Amino acid sequence: MKIIGLLLLGLILGLAVMAAAGYFYISFGYAPVSTAAPPFPFEKKITSMALNARIKKEAPSQAALQVTDDNLLGGAQTYSKYCAVCHGLVDQPQTEISKGMFPKPPQLFSGHGVSDDPVGETYWKIENGIRLTGMPAFRQSLSETQIWQATLLLANPEKLPAAAKTILSSPAP
Ligand code: HEC
């Protein structure tokens, strides 16, 4: 009985010390809060675990639109207007805005594309955004068709019609 009491006391004290350490870490200004700060230990791991679990639950399993030239062109128009400022264009320098962000927005047309991701996952990210990253949710501002077109564009960078390529390689306004 006595042993259990001691163990319990130890456990409570341990928890109190941990809570106090967490409190002082934050209240004395050690937690990384600026976008320029290096990532928190395990930050990427924890956030991507939460995100992936949620996406697995909610993402549509297949695309609602076909991969056609019209849809890819529509995707390029949406992308250049709403996404390029953060995710970059083809053969254009990265914008000053995107350089200052944390986490960094992947430059989707220069080696960091999402053509390997399931389309439902990309659709989910555009529709819902990714909290605390700067990636906006577009569900209020774009139609489902526009979101699917942008998704198909990112999934099929090798199938772009010439008109879409022209839009994606024109410097941002
Ligand atoms: C204000 C900046 C900003 C804008 C505008 C923006 N994004 Fe993002 N986006 C981000 C950031 C930052 C991330 C990285 C999030 C992370 O690290 O989890 C991201 C992530 C993504 C991802 C996931 C990439 C991956 O590797 O898994 C996709 C897909 C995406 N964005 C598509 C879009 C599309 C399409 C648009 C336009 C309709 C758009 N984004 C507009 C900032 C932006």
Side-chain angles (χ1 to χ4, degrees):
M1 250 4 243
K2 225 172 170 181
I3 299 256
I4 295 183
L6 276 175
L7 280 176
L8 219 58
L9 187 67
L11 190 72
I12 292 169
L13 277 175
L15 287 175
V17 167
M18 264 160 57
Y23 176 79
F24 287 118
Y25 177 70
I26 293 170
S27 67
F28 283 116
Y30 288 106
V33 288
S34 78
T35 60
F40 193 76
F42 306 114
E43 181 167 338
K44 185 77 202 163
K45 186 137 197 106
I46 295 168
T47 51
S48 60
M49 205 157 105
L51 180 67
N52 290 340
R54 183 60 169 261
I55 289 176
K56 213 162 143 200
K57 236 178 10 187
E58 293 182 354
S61 58
Q62 56 187 31
L65 296 183
Q66 304 287 327
V67 183
T68 61
D69 282 3
D70 275 352
N71 282 332
L72 293 172
L73 184 60
Q77 281 158 346
T78 297
Y79 182 92
S80 107
K81 190 158 175 201
Y82 299 101
C83 324
V85 61
C86 290
H87 292 295
L89 290 158
V90 177
D91 297 329
Q92 298 295 324
Q94 201 180 343
T95 65
E96 300 307 322
I97 291 176
S98 75
K99 282 183 199 162
M101 295 184 69
F102 181 96
K104 294 259 172 287
Q107 299 301 289
L108 296 175
F109 287 98
S110 30
H112 298 279
V114 290
S115 53
D116 289 343
D117 288 354
V119 285
E121 176 179 333
T122 301
Y123 182 88
W124 190 97
K125 289 176 178 170
I126 305 171
E127 184 184 37
N128 298 295
I130 306 174
R131 205 173 173 98
L132 300 179
T133 70
M135 169 64 196
F138 286 95
R139 59 190 321 153
Q140 311 89 323
S141 17
L142 297 178
S143 66
E144 276 179 36
T145 301
Q146 285 174 307
I147 299 179
W148 273 119
Q149 287 176 335
T151 301
L152 294 180
L153 172 86
L154 296 177
N156 299 283
E158 73 295 343
K159 294 192 188 145
L160 302 188
K165 278 190 197 147
T166 309
I167 293 177
L168 294 176
S169 29
S170 316

